[in-house]
Amino acid sequence: MTLWLGPHPLVLASQSRARQTLLGNAGIPFDAIPADIDERGIAKASGLSAPGEIAGLLAREKAAFVSNRHPGRLVLGADQTLALGARGFNKPADRAEAAKQLRELAGRRHELHSAIALVRNGLVLFSDVAIARMTMRPLTDDEISAYLDQAGDNATSSVGGYQVEGLGVHLFDGIHGDHFTILGLPLLPLLAFLRSQKLLTF
């Protein structure tokens, strides 16, 4: 008996390895088709400032972009924003910017807002935003430099300059939120919706 009951694999509008791993480990077949959208331009034009609202908007925009090119398919869009108080962060452009972000986050608590949206034929069927609260331990410049030496290119592939599923875990004193939200894909509400649509065996 197969777990997935849909006529076609889910389409994941993301090239994130973490999201692909989470779906694969959950037994959900998918085709990864990244959305080619101007995320910063869309966020700026929206006039939104709340990190969760921006994440939700971008998840919907990614899913809609891919949905319009693949009619009939169920498309999952996802996005994650990082907020330190009222200030939002973007992926660091280079090592220097990653170091700057880490210095700002060190010794403080920030929030990750992870959003998902399911779209078919341009219609949003489901969306959700989950929050994880992350407390980074105090870090010296030497410790930040040593971490960046070890992390390499991974430091610039995620907002905040870290990947908590890898070496980034060494940077934290406390993590409050589920594992899936932290990795950028709130999996439990997604699975609950798929079950409600009779797309999963159990």
Side-chain angles (χ1 to χ4, degrees), residues 159-184:
V159 65
Y162 66 84
Q163 292 176 321
V164 78
E165 69 272 26
L167 292 175
V169 71
H170 293 279
L171 306 176
F172 290 90
D173 276 337
I175 294 175
H176 305 279
D178 75 62
H179 176 69
F180 310 115
T181 296
I182 293 164
L183 297 188

Side-chain angles (χ1 to χ4, degrees), residues 125-192:
L125 305 178
F126 174 76
S127 62
D128 188 74
V129 180
I131 301 173
R133 293 174 173 85
M134 318 284 288
T135 304
M136 193 173 285
R137 65 186 180 87
L139 298 166
T140 66
D141 284 346
D142 286 345
E143 288 172 326
I144 290 173
S145 182
Y147 161 72
L148 292 173
D149 287 343
Q150 292 290 320
D153 291 342
N154 287 333
T156 56
S157 64
S158 298
V159 65
Y162 66 84
Q163 292 176 321
V164 78
E165 69 272 26
L167 292 175
V169 71
H170 293 279
L171 306 176
F172 290 90
D173 276 337
I175 294 175
H176 305 279
D178 75 62
H179 176 69
F180 310 115
T181 296
I182 293 164
L183 297 188
L185 186 71
L187 195 56
L188 297 182
L190 171 63
L191 296 179

Side-chain angles (χ1 to χ4, degrees), residues 83-124:
L84 180 63
R87 183 187 165 200
F89 283 59
N90 296 305
K91 289 181 183 178
D94 51 30
R95 178 188 169 111
E97 190 172 339
K100 181 176 183 291
Q101 289 192 8
L102 290 169
R103 283 194 294 271
E104 293 181 71
L105 297 173
R108 306 174 75 180
R109 188 177 76 170
H110 63 269
E111 294 183 339
L112 296 176
H113 298 253
S114 294
I116 52 173
L118 281 168
V119 173
R120 182 186 285 121
N121 296 326
L123 177 66
V124 178

Side-chain angles (χ1 to χ4, degrees), residues 12 14-25 30 32 34 185:
L12 175 63
S14 172
Q15 60 186 356
S16 163
R17 287 175 292 178
R19 292 184 182 116
Q20 292 178 22
T21 297
L22 289 176
L23 280 182
N25 288 345
F30 65 91
L185 186 71

